[in-house]
Amino acid sequence: MKFLQLSVLPFLIVILSLNGATLAHPYGDFLHCLSLRISNSSTISKVIYTQNNPSYSSVLNASIHNARFSTPTSPKPYAIITPRKTSHVQSTIYCSKNHGFQLRIRSGGHDVEGVSYVSQVPFVILDLVNFREVKVDTENEVAWVQSGATTGELYYGIASKTQTLGFPAGICHTIGIGGHLSGGGFGILGRKYGLAVDHVIDAKLVDANGRVLRRKSMGEDLFWAIRGGGGNTFGVVLAWKVKLVPVPPVVTVFTVNKNLEQNATKIFHRWQYIAHKLPKDLFTTVWVMKVNSSQVGKKTVQAGFRGMFLGGVDELLPLIQHEFPELGLAKENCTQMSWVQSILYFGGLPIQTVDILLNRHALPVSSLKAKTDFVREPMSETGIEGFMNMFLEEEADFAITMIEAFGGRMDEIRENELPYPHRAGILFESSYFVQWTNEADAGLCINWIRRLYSYMASYASKSPREAYYNYKDLDLGTNNIIGYTSYEQASVWGLKYFKNNFKRLVQIKTKVDPMNFFRNEQSIPPL
Ligand code: FDA
């Protein structure tokens, strides 16, 4: 039935109006091409979701993690393809290329600018939700993980086999491996082991010509580029082979909350001098947000000092008391648990139910805008005060800044080892988020985060002001949606994300995808 419906579509020409120009678009040809190549009608109905399909909206929305891009006016894909085999991925590339559709690749759908599921030009989504196998080999301390799996599914897969191995990736358990590893991946094991991509040892990629490549066949240049040089740029990464890392059976986590009335500014000021120099086994982070004050009806700003130590509380306490007595850490602030439970702790989830890591929809979805900074010099106390006070503004009701200490292993890896360049000398990375639930507040909230970012200009890294590609920020500049983007134009944002590695990424892109088939607003352009 489905096949019959699709087979009449070659005769359908969709007329699109874009920027005032009218284009004839062979939508039907695309679907015909894909259905012919997949051929089996029952498979087609499980793989191709056109806008007429009753499941289209639920498949589209299932992996949208920023409601800002799922409003009635958000552009929608002509079709969503959920491949079940590598050949389906190859066919989607072939048919999109031959029939003029832009391809947006989606793994976990956490792209903060929505570029994995929104485009201003006619597009289809290649959604890897069915590519989510996790195979853990504890004997060799490696795992093969498909891109559509979440970090939670990987963490769960490891923890269900061993308590003494882990993987250094992001805190949030619903982020997709495909996008996360395409841009870096920093989390609570980052000071000890570096980024997630520092532990990728092989990958399986489908390139713009539909070739299936592994590390050996793609060559070291392309293998270098896909480990942090951006998703939707070099091809579709189907799976990654990662090296696991040792973790102790017991780790200790802690939280100490201080608000403006409790010297939060001074303690944060001190933290900047200490956190990056602490032993690698200790990761600390500061979460800044507006909270209720102890005075009824008043608000204040809280700096939540949180940490994870790869060891027991009896070792942690004297260490903090010696290095950072100002924090006033006490035993009652600390909890011992397994490494995998510490992921839940940082995610604000109950630590008893590790199964929640398998739930891709465990976290609420709201509209948000994010920006990032890397800070190389400590901020002055007045600077911190001004920053904290901005959270008292009305637009910041649902804003948070997560400030993560660097140093440790991050200081030991050369800037050009992988595309991600923010390594030695970074004191901390700040990820600024603002969220809203009412569409009418969008403008004010986005304006607030832009003002916060302007305020931080004096304190952030300079020339370039570095930014983390995994939290894309289209305010930094974009490619042209259609046609050529010059190296100079793309450098405006490219140097911020990749510093001197940007040039090598452009050279590799020019070699492997000269026609720029894999593209988005901030993909690497060819020369
Ligand atoms: P999504 O599917 O949206 O893809 C992101 C980008 O990669 C898109 O450009 C997409 O086209 C491309 N892509 C996806 N799969 C691909 C594939 N298989 N092959 C090629 N290209 C592909 N980061 C971090 O380092 N540490 C953290 O703790 C967190 N925490 C966090 C929490 C929350 C709530 C959000 C929204 C984001 C984070 N991040 C993060 C940032 C996260 O690492 C980043 O958004 C990733 O790109 C998300 O990957 P997904 O696969 O989920 O996104």
Side-chain angles (χ1 to χ4, degrees), residues 408-440:
R409 179 74 186 129
M410 292 298 281
D411 271 351
E412 298 166 357
I413 300 174
R414 281 178 298 125
E415 274 194 7
N416 61 358
E417 185 74 29
L418 289 180
Y420 176 104
H422 323 287
R423 305 279 193 170
I426 303 283
L427 304 186
F428 55 86
E429 190 231 314
S430 294
S431 305
Y432 317 107
F433 297 92
V434 65
Q435 299 178 62
W436 58 93
T437 43
N438 186 348
E439 197 45 34

Side-chain angles (χ1 to χ4, degrees), residues 151-400:
T151 47
E153 286 165 340
L154 174 60
Y155 298 151
Y156 183 90
I158 300 169
S160 56
K161 287 200 160 179
T162 169
Q163 294 289 296
T164 53
L165 290 173
F167 187 67
I171 292 172
C172 170
H173 79 271
T174 55
I175 48 187
I177 290 291
H180 191 53
L181 268 58
S182 296
F186 186 83
I188 55 179
L189 291 174
R191 297 195 68 248
K192 175 78 174 178
Y193 294 114
L195 302 174
V197 275
D198 295 327
H199 300 269
V200 171
I201 51 178
D202 201 348
K204 189 172 170 189
L205 169 110
V206 185
D207 76 1
N209 296 317
R211 291 180 307 165
V212 181
L213 304 172
R214 291 276 299 272
R215 177 176 186 165
K216 212 165 170 202
S217 45
M218 75 178 81
E220 284 303 306
D221 261 353
L222 182 52
F223 185 58
W224 176 85
I226 61 170
R227 285 175 294 161
N232 218 20
T233 281
F234 300 101
V236 181
V237 184
L238 296 180
W240 312 74
K241 186 178 186 183
V242 296
K243 185 85 188 128
L244 306 179
V245 299
V247 291
V250 172
V251 307
T252 307
V253 298
F254 66 84
T255 302
V256 178
N257 292 323
K258 299 282 181 189
N259 62 34
L260 290 176
E261 293 78 47
Q262 296 165 323
N263 258 342
T265 310
K266 273 197 178 346
I267 301 172
F268 175 54
H269 182 255
R270 185 79 195 114
W271 175 88
Q272 302 174 100
Y273 290 86
I274 296 164
H276 66 287
K277 289 193 206 146
L278 289 168
K280 284 180 194 169
D281 284 346
L282 179 53
F283 164 76
T284 60
T285 172
V286 188
W287 293 7
V288 177
M289 64 182 128
K290 185 192 283 183
V291 293
N292 288 330
S293 153
S294 54
Q295 291 171 285
V296 181
K298 283 211 152 186
K299 297 281 180 189
T300 184
V301 181
Q302 173 179 287
F305 294 84
R306 311 180 122 223
M308 197 276 273
F309 178 62
L310 292 164
V313 67
D314 293 340
E315 209 184 326
L316 171 68
L317 278 177
L319 172 67
I320 294 268
Q321 274 151 14
H322 184 259
E323 302 287 339
F324 191 19
E326 298 84 349
L327 186 62
L329 182 72
K331 202 164 187 169
E332 53 269 28
N333 306 126
C334 304
T335 317
Q336 296 194 142
M337 57 183 65
S338 66
W339 160 74
V340 78
Q341 286 177 314
S342 74
I343 303 285
L344 298 172
Y345 177 86
F346 275 87
L349 297 164
I351 62 163
Q352 293 76 16
T353 48
V354 173
D355 287 6
I356 207 169
L357 291 175
L358 300 178
N359 182 349
R360 300 167 81 92
H361 307 289
L363 306 174
V365 174
S366 61
S367 295
L368 65 93
K369 168 82 188 151
K371 288 179 170 288
T372 55
D373 262 324
F374 290 89
V375 176
R376 291 176 177 274
E377 300 290 334
M379 294 171 70
S380 63
E381 256 185 67
T382 340
I384 296 172
E385 218 169 86
F387 167 73
M388 300 271 242
N389 282 337
M390 286 194 73
F391 285 79
L392 290 171
E393 295 178 24
E394 204 180 324
E395 300 90 327
D397 278 355
F398 303 105
I400 184 167

Side-chain angles (χ1 to χ4, degrees), residues 65 104-112 115-117 128 147 169-172 174-180 182 184-187 230-233 235-238 240 363 368 404 433 468-472 520:
H65 287 273
R104 294 292 164 122
I105 310 162
R106 183 165 77 171
S107 287
H110 282 67
D111 193 290
V112 285
V115 308
S116 57
Y117 51 87
L128 295 174
S147 283
I171 292 172
C172 170
T174 55
I175 48 187
I177 290 291
H180 191 53
S182 296
F186 186 83
N232 218 20
T233 281
V236 181
V237 184
L238 296 180
W240 312 74
L363 306 174
L368 65 93
E404 299 183 324
F433 297 92
Y468 181 20
Y469 185 80
N470 258 353
Y471 292 109
K472 276 194 204 82
N520 62 41

Side-chain angles (χ1 to χ4, degrees), residues 438-477:
N438 186 348
E439 197 45 34
D441 296 333
L444 286 171
C445 290
I446 293 174
N447 186 32
W448 177 84
I449 201 171
R450 288 181 178 148
R451 283 190 290 109
L452 184 78
Y453 188 70
S454 299
Y455 175 84
M456 285 299 292
S458 344
Y459 308 104
S461 56
K462 294 176 185 60
S463 307
R465 183 173 181 181
E466 297 167 61
Y468 181 20
Y469 185 80
N470 258 353
Y471 292 109
K472 276 194 204 82
D473 177 7
L474 298 190
D475 291 352
L476 301 179

